[in-house]
Amino acid sequence: MSTSGGHPGAPDGTPSRVTLPPHEWTAFHDVQWPGVRWGSLDHVVVGPPGVFVVDSSHLSGTVGLRDGRLLQDGRPADDLLSGPVAAALAVGERLRAVDVAHVVPVLCLATDQPLAGTAGGVLVCSTPTLATTLLARPPVLDAERRRLVVAELRVLDRNDGWSPYEAIPRHERGRRRWLWSRRRGLVPLLFLAGVLVLLRPAAALYDDLVGPSGTGPRGTADAGCAELNATHPHGVGRGGARDLVADGEQPVTTYAVDPQVYGVHERLDTDGDGIACER
């Protein structure tokens, strides 16, 4: 992309055969994505028709436009349009010298296929048609307005002023984006760990309220054999339970049979014979 006033050079994928009048057009390359700490925009181009946020992409297969939709090998490729739309909106919200309606998302495909049109509110073009696509738009910015927009872009991008985070030197962005991509895999694990930490107190609270088996209030179960024996002197058990005793001891047979009460106090059945607090 041949224009004046932007950062020298351009990243891979730049439509190199496009020439725009340098006295009217200014391009910025590898611009920090507003509000995204390590994200970057391929190109931001300012000219009489407005501000164009250009996303240069490589797509395999056959790409085309039909009925206002982007197609790849005959199948809808609408997911490719969300990035340019979000980028243009982010830029438009930060620029004070131009209305957001004049900040236009562009998806430029690095292919020799002639492609020009609109899909999902995004200008879609290819390498050979980028210049004609931009130049065909009606003028909306005069020379003074373009000068203000360019000055604002230079200040913002130089200082990373539209990022809510600390300024990141341009030569550091690529390295930090790589580090961030490595760290993103830890996010789901950290999220899961946080959920587990939150669930442990919740489980303890549930246990306090309803008991570990969910059969009744823990306060009732934890009252102990003294309280239970006050109402059931020989304990309480399930029907058909037999007191488990050592050789030579007499088993308790006069316990109360009440499965519901036993279920509440089952934790007091320390020998697991189906009778709680037998004596």
Side-chain angles (χ1 to χ4, degrees), residues 100-251:
V100 68
H102 298 149
V103 180
V104 183
V106 180
L107 177 62
C108 182
L109 303 176
T111 175
D112 290 332
Q113 297 176 229
L115 190 66
T118 304
V122 178
L123 288 181
V124 181
C125 61
S126 58
T127 300
T129 62
L130 176 58
T132 54
T133 298
L134 300 187
L135 293 170
R137 305 275 296 183
V140 294
L141 302 180
D142 57 24
E144 177 61 19
R145 182 65 61 180
R146 295 196 304 272
R147 185 188 67 80
L148 293 175
V149 173
V150 168
E152 191 173 7
L153 280 169
R154 283 176 176 162
V155 171
L156 289 173
D157 189 44
R158 183 183 307 117
N159 299 327
D160 295 333
W162 48 19
S163 172
Y165 306 98
E166 70 273 10
I168 302 171
R170 183 173 301 278
H171 67 275
E172 283 285 306
R173 293 180 191 167
R175 185 180 68 86
R176 295 196 179 191
R177 282 196 296 269
W178 178 82
L179 290 174
W180 175 244
S181 67
R182 296 291 299 273
R183 293 169 183 166
R184 280 187 302 178
L186 295 176
V187 172
L189 295 177
L190 294 175
F191 175 78
L192 179 59
V195 170
L196 293 176
V197 169
L198 293 175
L199 286 179
R200 286 180 61 87
L205 177 61
Y206 177 83
D207 192 34
D208 287 339
L209 293 176
V210 303
S213 61
T215 56
R218 183 173 182 138
T220 303
D222 282 348
C225 286
E227 183 175 339
L228 179 61
N229 289 141
T231 55
H232 300 80
H234 302 290
V236 63
R238 299 191 300 259
R242 295 177 60 109
D243 185 21
L244 182 64
V245 296
D247 293 340
E249 293 184 1
Q250 189 70 22

Side-chain angles (χ1 to χ4, degrees), residues 21-124:
H23 62 285
E24 293 183 325
W25 293 80
T26 305
F28 294 81
H29 309 296
D30 189 26
V31 178
Q32 179 167 346
W33 188 307
V36 179
R37 188 170 187 176
W38 296 307
S40 64
L41 310 172
D42 290 339
H43 317 286
V44 179
V45 186
V46 182
V51 180
F52 299 89
V53 181
V54 182
D55 181 4
S56 296
S57 298
H58 295 269
L59 288 183
S60 59
T62 302
V63 183
L65 290 167
R66 186 172 63 202
D67 299 329
R69 301 195 70 179
L70 177 64
L71 304 177
Q72 183 180 13
D73 292 331
R75 294 187 296 271
D78 298 334
D79 57 314
L80 298 174
L81 305 175
S82 58
V85 170
L89 181 61
V91 172
E93 289 177 343
R94 299 313 197 280
L95 293 177
R96 293 172 295 178
V98 64
D99 191 279
V100 68
H102 298 149
V103 180
V104 183
V106 180
L107 177 62
C108 182
L109 303 176
T111 175
D112 290 332
Q113 297 176 229
L115 190 66
T118 304
V122 178
L123 288 181
V124 181

